[in-house]
Amino acid sequence: MDYLIIVIILILIVFVLAFKSVKILRPYEKAVVERFGKYQRTVESGLVFLIPFIESIRKVDLREQVVDVPPQEVITKDNTVVIVDCVIFYEVTDPFNAVYNVVNFYQAITKLAQTNLRNIIGDLELDQTLTSREMINTHLREVLDEATDKWGTRVVRVEIQRIEPPKDIVDAMSKQMKAERMKRAAILEAEGYKQSEIKKAEGDKQAAILEAEGQAEAIKKVADAQKYEEIAIAEGQAEATVDVYDAIHKGNPTNDLIAIKYLEALEKVADGNSTKIFLPAEMSGILGSIGGIAELFNDEDINKKEKISKKDKDSKVDKIMKKIEEQSKEAKKS
C-alpha cells in the first residue's frame, strides 16, 4: 500500500515538472524567458523547454490589435468645440520592449492619442477639421508611431471615427449648404433656359432660311415652267398660224367662203350670256356681200364656167380684209 502511494506521488511530481518545463507557443506568439526574475532570452513559436521553478515565460501576441480611443472635446483654432474620437491599429515588433518598457500599453497609447489629437485639431479651423480627416490621420499616425517605437510596437494606421460640431453649428452649416444648393440649382436652371432659348432661336433661324430657300426654289421652278409653257404655246400658235395661212392659200378661198366664215364668227360673238350685242359698223356692207353671195349661188352656170386665177382670188381676199380693217378702225373712232 505504501509502495503504491509513493508511485502515485512520483507520477504527479513528474507530471508537474513536465508541465512547468514544457511550453507551446502558437505561430503568432513570441515570449521572453526570465530566470530568477532576470531576462534570459526571447523564444520563437513552437515547443519551448524551461527549467522548472527556476525559469518563467511571458507571452506576447504579435497580431495586429485595435485600441478604441474614447471621445473627447477638442477646441479648434476658431474656438469651436468639437467631439472627436479615433481608432488606432498597432502590432508588436519587439517583445522585449513591449514587456519591459511600458506597464499598460493600452492606457498609454490612449492618452497619447488624445493629447496629440488636441494639438493637431487645435491648429485647424472648423472647416479644415471637417475636410482634412486624411491629413489628421496621417499626422497622428506619424506622431504615435514615433512615440511608441521604444515600446516595441508599430502603429499601422489611425482612423478618425467622428468629428461632431455643436448642434447650432450643424444647423448653420445645414442652412448654408441648403442655400448653396439652391444657388447652384438656380444657376443651372438659368443656364439651361439660356441654352434652350439659344437653341430655339437657332432652330427658328435655320427653319426660316430653309423655308425662304424652298420658296425661292419653288418660285424659280414655277417661273421656269410658265416660261416653258408660254414658249411652247407661242411656238404652237406660230406654227398653227403658219399652217392656217398656208392652208388658206392652198385652198384658194372665194368671196362667198370668207363671208360665210365672217357670219360664223358673228354667231359665236352673239352666243353668250350678255344682254347687249354690238354689231360692227360695216354690217350693211356685209349684208350686201351676203346678197351678192346668194346671187352667186343662184347663178350656177356662172359659178361653173368662171374660173378665177389664184392671183385674182388672192387680190380679192386682200381687198376684202383691207376693207374690213378700215371699217373696224372707223367704228373704233366713232
Side-chain angles (χ1 to χ4, degrees):
M1 187 67 180
D2 294 336
Y3 179 75
L4 181 60
I5 294 173
I6 293 172
V7 171
I8 294 173
I9 293 173
L10 290 175
I11 293 173
L12 290 175
I13 292 172
V14 171
F15 181 77
V16 171
L17 291 175
F19 180 77
K20 288 288 186 181
S21 60
V22 179
K23 297 293 182 182
I24 298 175
L25 299 180
R26 296 180 180 275
Y28 52 83
E29 292 178 333
K30 284 187 179 182
V32 294
V33 178
E34 299 175 347
R35 183 177 295 173
F36 297 113
K38 184 179 180 180
Y39 173 75
Q40 182 64 30
R41 66 186 183 276
T42 300
V43 294
E44 302 290 334
S45 59
L47 190 62
V48 180
F49 294 96
L50 303 174
I51 300 174
F53 306 105
I54 297 176
E55 293 180 343
S56 61
I57 188 172
R58 298 179 67 176
K59 297 180 180 180
V60 178
D61 196 335
L62 302 179
R63 291 177 294 181
E64 187 174 314
Q65 301 182 54
V66 181
V67 175
D68 189 3
V69 180
Q72 63 172 338
E73 292 184 350
V74 181
I75 300 176
T76 62
K77 187 177 181 179
D78 52 355
N79 297 323
T80 303
V81 179
V82 294
I83 299 175
V84 183
D85 65 341
C86 64
V87 178
I88 301 171
F89 298 86
Y90 75 94
E91 61 184 8
V92 176
T93 57
D94 188 354
F96 176 83
N97 292 329
V99 172
Y100 296 111
N101 288 346
V102 62
V103 178
N104 189 339
F105 178 81
Y106 183 89
Q107 184 178 6
I109 197 170
T110 299
K111 297 301 180 182
L112 184 63
Q114 289 179 336
T115 303
N116 284 278
L117 268 177
R118 293 193 189 98
N119 296 334
I120 294 172
I121 294 179
D123 294 334
L124 301 174
E125 295 182 354
L126 178 61
D127 293 339
Q128 293 177 325
T129 302
L130 296 175
T131 58
S132 304
R133 291 196 176 195
E134 189 64 29
M135 184 271 292
I136 296 173
N137 294 338
T138 303
H139 193 182
L140 184 59
R141 188 195 67 79
E142 292 174 354
V143 173
L144 295 178
D145 190 34
E146 183 179 356
T148 58
D149 186 56
K150 64 179 182 178
W151 297 342
T153 58
R154 183 176 71 88
V155 177
V156 179
R157 61 184 180 275
V158 177
E159 297 291 341
I160 299 294
Q161 282 187 306
R162 179 181 58 168
I163 300 177
E164 183 178 343
K167 190 175 184 302
D168 55 345
I169 300 295
V170 174
D171 294 339
M173 293 173 62
S174 176
K175 292 180 181 179
Q176 180 183 2
M177 183 61 66
K178 184 178 179 181
E180 184 67 23
R181 289 180 179 176
M182 291 178 65
K183 174 184 175 183
R184 292 179 183 177
I187 293 173
L188 291 176
E189 184 177 359
E191 188 67 23
Y193 179 77
K194 175 183 175 182
Q195 294 295 331
S196 175
E197 291 298 319
I198 291 173
K199 295 294 184 183
K200 184 178 179 181
E202 290 179 353
D204 293 340
K205 175 183 175 183
Q206 191 68 22
I209 292 172
L210 292 176
E211 184 178 0
E213 291 178 351
Q215 291 178 355
E217 188 69 20
I219 292 172
K220 183 179 178 181
K221 295 292 185 183
V222 171
D224 292 341
Q226 291 178 351
K227 177 182 177 182
Y228 179 78
E229 181 182 2
E230 291 176 358
I231 291 172
I233 292 173
E235 291 177 353
Q237 290 178 350
E239 292 178 359
T241 302
V242 172
D243 292 340
V244 170
Y245 186 78
D246 292 339
I248 290 173
H249 283 279
K250 289 179 181 180
N252 297 324
T254 59
N255 293 333
D256 52 355
L257 178 61
I258 294 173
I260 291 171
K261 291 295 182 180
Y262 190 85
L263 291 175
E264 290 177 355
L266 290 177
E267 182 182 359
K268 292 181 180 180
V269 170
D271 187 11
N273 297 325
S274 178
T275 58
K276 295 181 180 181
I277 300 174
F278 294 93
L279 296 176
E282 66 276 11
M283 189 63 188
S284 59
I286 298 300
L287 293 175
S289 299
I290 294 172
I293 293 169
E295 291 178 359
L296 292 174
F297 279 107
N298 291 328
D299 193 358
E300 294 180 357
D301 295 334
I302 296 174
N303 287 336
K304 291 180 181 179
K305 293 180 179 179
E306 291 184 354
K307 294 182 180 179
I308 303 173
S309 64
K310 181 178 181 181
K311 183 175 181 181
D312 294 336
K313 292 178 181 179
D314 291 340
S315 61
K316 288 180 181 181
V317 172
D318 291 338
K319 289 178 181 180
I320 293 171
M321 294 301 292
K322 186 180 293 184
K323 185 177 181 181
I324 292 172
E325 289 178 357
E326 291 175 356
Q327 291 176 357
S328 297
K329 289 180 181 180
E330 292 176 0
K332 289 181 181 179
K333 289 179 180 181
S334 61

